[in-house]
């Protein structure tokens, strides 16, 4: 029997209770009901949230095990407070067949640190020309429900329409990487005054916004569910707000780095700040924060994108796009949204657990902290300020742009079905 | 100065110092014995990731006339076909003991990256990075303009002076031009009025809204609106004109009609106005033969001034270090 009791935790940051976890379930909210052999953890000062779910993770396996493996990525996720991640399809081979998604899924199960939900490719090889066998992936053991060509945009409007319609067969969702490829040929950073000054080819906001606008219209027309990946501009927030007001079934995610950083960071040409979509302006940062606060943006996802040193320790133009983010996401959300009063911890539970689990149809995740529910729990220490040191990550890559930045809090412990997958040292000595 | 990466961070004092030093260097080039012993024993590496024979031999001549040892290192490689990485090349040069590296690279920011990384310790001189900066080109342009329009044809009269009150027009592909990227901030720093002439497709984001420079969409309009003292014609990259439906301009003929400096437009400039071009020229496209070969064209002189300016830059980076050590 596995039994833990977290005493005096603040559930959702507003109700003090005990969490008694027995055999993978929340058995009681009172320590009086805890089995005698239960491991006791002092939850004083800690906030208990339903375990975090990341709808947008790159685990790189199969194909780029030099950057990340399902194991190292799972470890990094657990350390960041996540109990489930959605592994994007842009691997080698592409996750566009039942075979590949089952392999990723079963490897995730073997490791057992987080639930790994493979995302299936919308088109064969992310080629944008032929739909992949989404039905086979949906009906495989991996039960794929989220489909995305992330890294590439499903640019052909007819193909996008077909994909949106087709996933209705199994209640799936198309998660679109909104980037007009023609408007972003050779693009290196956000198009604006900074790109002009730095002589880097611009990546205009409209390249994102025009695709989102088209896609919400398509989703509305065919009555399908659309998810917008890594929204990054003020204009995108307005389009989503408009679409929701029209009753279109659209959800949207924002990345921690787009909540915190601007294109000013690019001035040193340090490729750790090179990412797709690019870091935008302060006006955009303010708009995505406001959009997240008022519910226009549904969730925060990480877009954790590991790259080995040689792809970042080089000149800007030669560098890969992307940054790791599983271990810093929670701290950044606290810094930008909670400590500013824009979100409560209950809201954080919504945007980092409940809603991503609902979008991804992840059964057993994003559930209430209540008796009889799965014991998927993240304990947050909101008063554990720390300075990010990129090399201290559990990820196999250390391409974090947040090195040297102080974050106010972090995940102190993560429980997946009642089993601790991450415990800070102070909690490890918990008495049995 | 440890490095020369761009003109946007160059103070007016440093810019004028480089121009004055270049004047001294130019004077030595009039002598029978043109070689100076200043950098004897120092090693200057010309590291070129892009072909540019002109710029490379200009730097080579400058370093050799200061008695430095020169190593030419052509590293092939682009964003598409990766050759040896910039980092590995830099580590190699460091191991060989390069005192200064003159770098030309296709990636914007490559020179700054080289200077600020821990890959090598030497001085970095930017000889053109992507579509960003080409500081010695802007300095040689300023030097040439100063000699003719401030010094009345000689450097002695111009010593210590900047370019106050002069109006300089830059015409052509501003968006992709590192020459413009360096010239605009340097000319502003030196007190000149800057007029930019380009089709809207070839202007960087936000430039048309700038209030510290004038922007025009045709050359005729610019000539009409300003008393231009110096006009700088930028090279048009033919492949940027009409390629693959993403051309920045409908046709070379239309470009010439709207932006080419021909005899008729030349005649409408002031009698003292000079013509510059960073080379190589597309005769008949951005500049007509009449304008290019006109007595008030200083295009060939720019080349010799380039050597003097690069001597000055190398001298100030390398010899200055010795003096302070």
């Amino acid at each position: 029997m596995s039994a833990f009791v977290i005493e005096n935790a603040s559930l959702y940051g507003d109700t003090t209770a005990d969490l008694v976890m027995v055999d993978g379930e929340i058995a009681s909210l009172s320590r009086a009901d805890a089995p005698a052999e239960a491991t006791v953890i002092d939850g004083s000062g800690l906030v208990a949230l339903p375990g975090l779910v990341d709808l947008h993770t790159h685990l790189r396996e199969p194909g780029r095990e030099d950057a990340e493996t399902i194991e190292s990525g799972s470890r990094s996720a657990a350390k960041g407070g996540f109990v489930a991640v959605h592994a994007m399809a842009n691997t080698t081979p592409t996750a566009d067949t039942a075979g590949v998604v089952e392999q990723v899924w079963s490897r995730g199960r073997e490791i057992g640190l987080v639930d790994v939900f493979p995302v299936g490719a919308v088109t064969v090889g992310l080629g944008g020309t032929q739909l992949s066998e989404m039905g086979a992936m949906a009906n495989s053991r991996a039960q794929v429900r989220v489909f995305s060509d992330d890294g590439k945009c499903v640019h052909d409007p007819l193909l996008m329409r077909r994909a949106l319609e087709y996933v209705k067969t199994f209640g799936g969702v198309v998660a679109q990487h909104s980037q007009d490829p023609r408007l972003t040929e050779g693009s290196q950073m956000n198009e604006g005054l900074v790109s002009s000054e730095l002589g880097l080819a611009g990546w205009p906001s409209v390249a994102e916004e025009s695709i989102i606008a088209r896609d919400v219209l398509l989703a509305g027309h065919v009555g399908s569910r659309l998810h917008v990946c890594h929204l990054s501009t003020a204009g995108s927030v307005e389009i989503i707000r408009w679409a929701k007001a029209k009753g279109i079934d659209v959800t949207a995610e924002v990345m921690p780095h787009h909540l915190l950083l601007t294109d000013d960071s690019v001035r040193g040409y340090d490729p750790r700040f090179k990412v797709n979509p690019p870091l935008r302006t302060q006006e955009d940062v303010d708009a995505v924060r406001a959009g997240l606060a008022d519910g226009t943006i549904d969730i925060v996802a990480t877009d954790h994108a590991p790259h080995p040193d040689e792809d970042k320790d080089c000149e800007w133009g030669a560098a890969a796009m992307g940054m790791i983010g599983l271990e810093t996401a929670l701290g950044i959300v606290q810094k930008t949204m909670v400590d500013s009063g824009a979100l409560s911890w209950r809201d954080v539970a919504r945007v980092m657990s409940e809603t991503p689990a609902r979008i991804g149809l992840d059964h057993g995740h994003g559930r209430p902290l209540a008796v009889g529910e799965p014991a998927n729990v993240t304990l947050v220490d909101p008063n554990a300020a720390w300075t990010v040191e990129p090399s201290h990550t559990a990820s196999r890559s250390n391409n974090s742009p947040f090195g040297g930045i102080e974050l106010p809090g972090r995940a102190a412990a993560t429980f997946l079905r009642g089993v601790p997958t991450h415990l800070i040292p102070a909690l490890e000595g918990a008495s049995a | 100065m440890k490095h020369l990466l761009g003109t946007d961070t160059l103070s007016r004092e440093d810019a004028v110092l480089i121009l004055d030093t270049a004047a001294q260097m130019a004077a030595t080039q009039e002598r029978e014995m043109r070689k100076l012993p200043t950098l004897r024993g120092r090693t200057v590496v010309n590291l070129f990731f892009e072909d540019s024979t002109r710029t490379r031999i200009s730097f080579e001549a400058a370093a050799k006339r200061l008695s430095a040892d020169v190593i030419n290192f052509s590293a092939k490689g682009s964003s598409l076909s990766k050759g040896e990485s910039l980092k590995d090349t830099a580590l190699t040069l460091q191991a060989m003991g390069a005192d200064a590296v003159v770098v030309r690279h296709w990636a914007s920011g490559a020179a700054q990256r080289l200077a600020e990384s821990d890959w090598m310790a030497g001085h970095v001189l930017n000889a053109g990075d992507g579509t960003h900066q080409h500081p010695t080109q802007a300095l040689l342009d300023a030097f040439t303009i100063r000699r003719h329009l401030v010094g009345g044809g000689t450097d002695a009269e111009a010593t210590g002076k900047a370019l106050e009150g002069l109006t300089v027009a830059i015409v052509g592909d501003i968006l992709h031009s590192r020459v413009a990227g360096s010239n605009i901030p340097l000319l502003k720093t030196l007190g000149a009025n800057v007029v930019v002439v380009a089709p809207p497709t070839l202007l960087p984001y936000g430039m048309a809204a700038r209030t510290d420079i004038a922007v025009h969409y045709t050359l005729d309009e610019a000539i009409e609106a300003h008393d231009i003292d110096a006009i700088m014609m930028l090279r048009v990259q033919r492949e940027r004109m009409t390629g693959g439906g993403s051309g920045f301009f409908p046709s070379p003929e239309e470009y010439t009609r709207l932006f080419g400096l021909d005899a008729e437009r030349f005649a409408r400039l002031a009698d003292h106005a000079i013509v510059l071009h960073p080379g190589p020229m597309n005769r008949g496209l951005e500049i007509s033969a009449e304008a290019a070969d006109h007595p008030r064209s200083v295009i060939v002189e720019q080349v010799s001034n380039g050597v003097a300016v690069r001597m000055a830059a190398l001298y100030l980076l390398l010899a200055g270090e010795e003096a302070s050590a």
Side-chain angles (χ1 to χ4, degrees):
Chain A
M1 185 174 80
S2 147
F4 284 83
V5 53
I6 303 164
E7 296 183 350
N8 293 319
S10 173
L11 307 193
Y12 302 99
D14 53 29
T15 317
T16 300
D18 308 320
L19 275 174
V20 181
M21 302 183 285
V22 179
D23 289 338
E25 282 193 357
I26 297 174
S28 166
L29 296 181
S30 166
R31 75 187 78 169
D33 301 328
E37 67 273 31
T39 305
V40 178
I41 289 175
D42 180 9
S44 309
L46 304 182
V47 174
L49 301 177
L52 306 184
V53 176
D54 189 14
L55 200 62
H56 194 143
T57 315
H58 296 273
L59 293 181
R60 300 292 187 227
E61 183 182 348
R64 285 306 300 269
E65 292 81 356
D66 58 327
E68 193 80 287
T69 62
I70 295 170
E71 180 167 14
S72 62
S74 293
R75 203 168 296 284
S76 185
K79 197 174 167 190
F82 291 93
V83 292
V85 299
H86 288 255
M88 278 298 173
N90 61 341
T91 50
T92 310
T94 306
D96 58 3
T97 61
V100 176
V101 295
E102 283 196 348
Q103 172 65 20
V104 171
W105 174 79
S106 62
R107 187 75 192 110
R109 294 262 296 191
E110 267 168 40
I111 294 157
L113 289 169
V114 291
D115 284 343
V116 175
F117 298 114
V119 173
V122 175
T123 67
V124 175
L126 310 181
T129 53
Q130 186 191 343
L131 291 181
S132 60
E133 290 188 351
M134 291 187 273
M137 290 187 270
N139 296 323
S140 73
R141 283 184 302 148
Q143 303 217 353
V144 177
R145 290 295 179 272
V146 181
F147 295 89
S148 181
D149 277 1
D150 182 60
K152 289 189 175 172
C153 181
V154 181
H155 181 231
D156 181 337
L158 183 58
L159 197 71
M160 185 60 183
R161 175 198 169 139
R162 297 277 186 261
L164 285 167
E165 289 175 312
Y166 191 74
V167 295
K168 286 200 271 191
T169 320
F170 31 82
V173 63
V174 176
Q176 173 73 297
H177 173 113
S178 309
Q179 178 192 351
D180 188 300
R182 286 285 280 160
L183 285 171
T184 52
E185 278 175 17
S187 295
Q188 294 290 321
M189 69 170 293
N190 179 53
E191 182 167 296
L193 297 176
V194 181
S195 68
S196 298
E197 206 178 303
L198 297 183
L200 290 171
W203 188 312
S205 298
V206 64
E208 172 175 313
E209 293 153 2
S210 60
I211 296 293
I212 295 176
R214 180 200 76 178
D215 286 349
V216 296
L217 293 173
L218 279 174
H221 181 64
V222 300
S224 286
R225 198 153 72 93
L226 169 72
H227 179 69
V228 176
C229 293
H230 44 50
L231 176 155
S232 70
T233 78
S236 298
V237 177
E238 285 196 42
I239 294 165
I240 299 290
R241 194 173 280 135
W242 175 86
K244 286 186 167 180
K246 288 274 181 191
I248 293 168
D249 193 359
V250 59
T251 52
E253 73 191 21
V254 65
M255 303 303 164
H257 45 268
H258 289 128
L259 291 171
L260 185 62
L261 302 175
T262 69
D263 59 356
D264 261 336
S265 306
V266 181
R267 287 183 189 278
Y269 295 97
D270 183 338
R272 284 178 306 163
F273 297 101
K274 186 172 178 180
V275 64
N276 175 356
L279 300 176
R280 304 287 189 182
T281 66
Q282 188 60 49
E283 187 195 358
D284 295 303
V285 168
D286 294 343
V288 295
R289 287 187 187 182
L292 182 61
D294 71 17
T296 302
I297 297 173
D298 302 84
I299 67 168
V300 175
T302 69
D303 201 0
H304 176 82
H307 290 288
D309 275 353
E310 60 267 28
D311 289 341
K312 286 291 188 181
D313 194 17
C314 58
E315 56 275 29
W316 182 276
M321 300 193 200
M323 37 186 68
I324 59 169
L326 285 166
E327 293 166 43
T328 44
L330 186 58
I332 291 170
V333 169
Q334 185 188 342
K335 181 186 177 89
T336 57
M337 303 300 295
V338 179
D339 290 356
S340 68
L343 290 185
S344 64
W345 285 110
R346 202 167 270 278
D347 293 325
V348 174
R350 171 171 56 79
V351 301
M352 294 187 79
S353 175
E354 293 157 9
T355 308
R358 179 172 59 74
I359 294 168
L361 298 173
D362 307 335
H363 298 296
H365 289 288
R367 302 291 306 163
L369 294 174
V371 174
E373 294 289 350
N376 297 321
V377 178
T378 300
L379 279 182
V380 185
D381 186 344
N383 298 305
W386 58 296
T387 302
V388 180
E389 169 48 65
S391 66
H392 291 175
T393 179
S395 169
R396 194 168 271 203
S397 297
N398 59 16
N399 54 303
S400 168
F402 305 115
I405 289 182
E406 183 170 287
L407 297 178
R410 68 193 311 173
T414 310
F415 290 85
L416 176 62
R417 287 181 285 276
V419 177
T421 54
H422 160 63
L423 279 177
I424 58 166
L427 299 182
E428 267 171 9
S431 60
Chain B
M1 275 186 289
K2 162 90 173 159
H3 308 292
L4 180 59
L5 303 177
T7 58
D8 46 349
T9 51
L10 209 55
S11 68
R12 181 191 156 100
E13 290 67 33
D14 282 344
V16 172
L17 174 65
I18 294 171
L19 299 185
D20 289 348
T21 309
Q24 293 169 13
M25 294 297 172
T28 67
Q29 300 309 296
E30 305 298 320
R31 300 177 194 160
E32 198 170 322
M33 179 59 198
R34 293 191 291 187
K35 198 156 175 162
L36 306 174
T38 320
L39 297 184
R40 186 177 292 157
R42 315 301 292 274
T43 301
V44 174
V45 175
N46 285 324
L47 175 58
F48 277 60
F49 284 84
E50 263 185 358
D51 290 331
S52 172
T53 310
R54 291 166 160 257
T55 304
R56 186 181 58 71
I57 61 176
S58 179
F59 270 105
E60 187 172 349
K64 283 182 169 166
R65 286 178 195 174
L66 292 169
S67 300
D69 295 322
V70 179
I71 298 171
N72 287 312
F73 195 131
S74 284
K76 289 286 173 189
S78 67
S79 54
L80 299 175
S81 66
K82 281 190 191 172
E84 185 177 37
S85 73
L86 182 62
K87 176 181 177 175
D88 287 328
T89 309
L91 293 172
T92 303
L93 299 179
Q94 174 70 13
M96 287 179 182
D99 295 299
V101 173
V102 174
V103 61
R104 160 69 63 96
H105 201 286
W106 51 264
S108 298
Q112 185 179 335
R113 191 86 177 116
L114 201 55
E116 291 175 357
S117 70
D118 53 4
W119 304 334
M120 54 165 285
H123 301 274
V124 176
L125 227 154
N126 186 3
D129 63 323
T131 54
H132 181 219
Q133 286 265 337
H134 189 2
T136 56
Q137 177 69 45
L139 286 160
L140 78 87
D141 292 337
F143 180 81
T144 307
I145 293 168
R146 191 177 78 152
R147 170 184 283 174
H148 285 274
L149 300 177
V150 179
T154 67
D155 298 326
E157 294 296 315
T159 304
K161 293 180 179 158
L163 303 177
E164 261 80 21
L166 294 177
T167 297
V168 181
I170 306 174
V171 186
D173 182 356
I174 309 294
L175 178 63
H176 300 100
S177 174
R178 52 193 168 212
V179 176
S182 280
N183 258 299
I184 293 170
L186 181 64
L187 289 167
K188 294 303 300 176
T189 300
L190 292 173
N193 307 310
V194 176
V195 177
V196 162
V197 187
T201 48
L202 289 173
L203 282 173
Y205 179 89
M207 186 168 279
R210 278 175 65 166
T211 53
D212 60 334
I213 58 177
V215 174
H216 294 278
Y217 297 144
T218 71
L219 184 50
D220 287 329
E221 189 184 293
I223 292 173
E224 187 67 29
H226 303 276
D227 295 322
I228 295 168
D229 299 301
I231 186 164
M232 189 181 299
M233 308 306 296
L234 299 177
R235 174 179 169 80
V236 170
Q237 305 281 346
R238 281 177 191 270
E239 64 273 17
R240 292 220 168 96
M241 300 294 270
T242 52
S246 54
F248 291 88
F249 213 78
S251 71
E253 292 76 15
E254 180 145 314
Y255 184 91
T256 304
R257 277 196 292 274
L258 293 174
F259 299 96
L261 184 61
D262 56 17
E264 189 273 322
R265 286 188 177 120
F266 193 96
R268 277 154 49 208
L269 296 173
D271 288 342
H272 66 270
I274 58 171
V275 181
L276 299 95
H277 193 296
M281 289 183 280
N282 293 303
R283 284 175 183 255
L285 182 45
E286 71 265 9
I287 190 164
S288 71
E290 294 97 316
D293 300 330
H294 195 277
R296 293 206 315 273
S297 158
V298 295
I299 296 168
V300 177
E301 189 191 321
Q302 283 175 275
V303 177
S304 49
N305 291 345
V307 177
V309 162
R310 286 164 183 138
M311 287 173 77
L314 286 166
Y315 171 80
L316 290 169
L317 293 187
L318 283 165
E321 173 196 63
E322 219 159 47
S324 64

